[in-house]
């Protein structure tokens, strides 16, 4: 898992620098902080959303929606109801590299913010 996190972290740093040049046409510490905040927030949001869905929080809601919209007014048999796979079992990827990368990017952003305000 650590090589995935390290690769994702390097790609995130490269994306932060590239986006700074594309959006602001230069790289400053403030622009780096701004863009790294959005990238870290996106990774943390994705990881926490995946963690919530894998935990089974939305299984009941999606089960009800599928019973309502799949049946289209007719009664579903017990076999059809038993065959419905919960959403928590449909998600197969691990959220830990995204969570670690989001936390690392957040740490880099906070270090840069500390440097920015103490210079």
């Amino acid at each position: 898992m650590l090589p995935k996190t390290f690769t994702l972290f390097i790609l995130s740093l490269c994306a932060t620098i590239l986006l700074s040049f594309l959006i602001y046409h230069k790289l400053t510490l403030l622009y780096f902080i701004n863009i790294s905040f959005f990238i870290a927030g996106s990774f943390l949001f994705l990881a926490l959303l995946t963690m919530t869905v894998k935990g089974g929080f939305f299984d009941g809601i999606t089960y009800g929606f599928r019973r309502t919209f799949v049946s289209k007014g007719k009664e579903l048999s017990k076999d059809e109801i038993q065959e419905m796979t919960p959403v928590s079992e449909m998600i197969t990827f691990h959220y830990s590299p995204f969570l670690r990368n989001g936390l690392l990017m957040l740490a880099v952003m906070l270090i840069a913010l500390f440097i920015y305000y103490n210079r």
Side-chain angles (χ1 to χ4, degrees):
M1 285 290 178
L2 287 178
K4 287 182 185 178
T5 304
F6 182 72
T7 304
L8 204 54
F9 178 66
I10 295 299
L11 288 174
S12 297
L13 285 177
C14 292
T16 302
I17 293 168
L18 182 67
L19 283 173
S20 178
F21 281 118
L22 289 175
I23 295 171
Y24 300 113
H25 304 293
K26 62 181 175 178
L27 178 65
T28 64
L29 192 57
L30 181 63
Y31 298 152
F32 180 84
I33 293 168
N34 290 340
I35 294 173
S36 63
F37 173 77
F38 284 110
I39 290 177
S42 299
F43 277 109
L44 287 174
F45 178 75
L46 179 66
L48 293 175
L49 180 67
T50 306
M51 188 184 310
T52 304
V53 171
K54 279 183 114 175
F57 184 77
F58 295 109
D59 284 349
I61 296 168
T62 56
Y63 175 74
F65 274 119
R66 283 190 284 175
R67 277 191 75 173
T68 302
F69 294 116
V70 170
S71 65
K72 296 180 183 168
K74 62 180 174 152
E75 189 69 27
L76 292 175
S77 69
K78 291 194 183 242
D79 291 335
E80 290 174 327
I81 293 172
Q82 292 294 330
E83 289 176 2
M84 287 185 183
T85 307
V87 176
S88 59
E89 293 177 12
M90 289 182 187
I91 296 181
T92 59
F93 67 92
H94 298 286
Y95 59 84
S96 55
F98 297 112
L99 182 64
R100 283 190 211 116
N101 182 49
L103 292 173
L104 281 172
M105 286 296 294
L106 187 66
V108 167
M109 183 205 64
L110 289 174
I111 291 169
L113 201 58
F114 181 77
I115 293 169
Y116 181 76
Y117 280 113
N118 287 321
R119 59 181 172 131

